[in-house]
Amino acid sequence: MAFVLEALPYAENALEPYISANTISFHYGKHHRAYVDNLNKLIAGTKFENMSLEEIIKEAYGKAEYTGIFNNAAQAWNHAFFWKSMSAGDKTVPAELKAKIERDFGSYDKFCEAFLEVAVSQFGSGWAWLVEDKDGKLSVLKTSNADTPIAHGLKPLTTVDVWEHAYYLDYQNRRADFVKTFIINLMKFNA
């Protein structure tokens, strides 16, 4: 089964002025597409070719001989999830999730502060996540490079991509400004 690049859940210019169509075009059309295309090449004729992205990620995680497969599968999954973690529309936090955020962080504002700190403090390339563990507890965490919470048995609820290609055309080296803009204007939860 060959993977295909999922369509964006909005037009390339839908997140303007926060993220430009130019950035989306490169990020989605070049970077995300490359992960999908590379994964298809790497899994052809292997035990992975009929697995889902999630199955590939879990099977390849931590195994040196499958590093390339893991990196491309995880980045294909992470990016597809990232696109779903943004919206220029309604920013209402679902009531059940809001109650969990208030329980585990003290308030929505404290969650936003923790999320910003995690995203900005990620050294180099990676991701910041809001995740839920098997007991229903929420936390924020960062992952480097292609690492993803699903490889660790955690349920992602939202993410921001802090690889430079996610924001450099619009924000240059101002990661904190990008992440603040994401939190205030774009963040959507997949609960």
Side-chain angles (χ1 to χ4, degrees):
M1 153 177 81
F3 292 99
V4 295
L5 183 65
E6 288 182 41
L8 286 170
Y10 34 73
E12 286 187 1
N13 66 349
L15 304 179
E16 291 182 341
Y18 312 115
I19 300 177
S20 69
N22 191 35
T23 290
I24 296 290
S25 175
F26 277 100
H27 193 175
Y28 169 76
K30 304 284 186 205
H31 291 277
H32 189 178
R33 179 177 302 285
Y35 295 125
V36 172
D37 292 346
N38 289 337
L39 178 63
N40 284 328
K41 291 173 191 168
L42 290 168
I43 65 171
T46 73
K47 68 179 183 177
F48 296 102
E49 71 180 343
N50 292 312
M51 292 182 183
S52 69
L53 276 178
E54 293 85 356
E55 291 169 331
I56 293 170
I57 290 165
K58 290 174 184 174
E59 176 65 26
Y61 178 72
K63 296 176 182 153
E65 67 272 27
Y66 301 133
T67 298
I69 290 172
F70 173 80
N71 286 341
N72 284 280
Q75 284 293 74
W77 192 94
N78 288 351
H79 279 86
F81 189 79
F82 175 57
W83 306 129
K84 295 172 192 164
S85 294
M86 291 187 289
S87 171
D90 184 17
K91 293 289 154 270
T92 304
V93 180
E96 184 178 339
L97 178 59
K98 187 172 184 185
K100 287 182 180 181
I101 288 172
E102 290 170 352
R103 177 196 69 201
D104 295 337
F105 295 94
S107 70
Y108 185 78
D109 287 343
K110 287 183 181 176
F111 153 70
C112 291
E113 290 170 15
F115 192 84
L116 175 64
E117 169 60 29
V118 164
V120 172
S121 68
Q122 168 57 39
F123 180 77
S125 300
W127 303 83
W129 305 86
L130 171 65
V131 297
E132 184 174 23
D133 70 17
K134 62 181 169 126
D135 297 323
K137 179 157 175 42
L138 303 182
S139 61
V140 292
L141 62 91
K142 55 187 163 187
T143 59
S144 295
N145 300 318
D147 198 4
T148 183
I150 64 172
H152 306 279
L154 299 168
K155 178 185 176 185
L157 301 175
T158 195
T159 192
V160 65
D161 185 344
V162 293
W163 288 63
E164 282 191 337
H165 65 249
Y167 60 87
Y168 199 83
L169 293 177
D170 297 326
Y171 295 86
Q172 288 79 49
N173 63 340
R174 299 184 329 271
R175 179 188 285 184
D177 290 346
F178 167 67
V179 176
K180 287 176 190 172
T181 298
F182 171 86
I183 291 169
I184 294 166
N185 300 296
L186 298 172
M187 185 163 52
K188 178 182 170 191
F189 298 95
N190 296 287

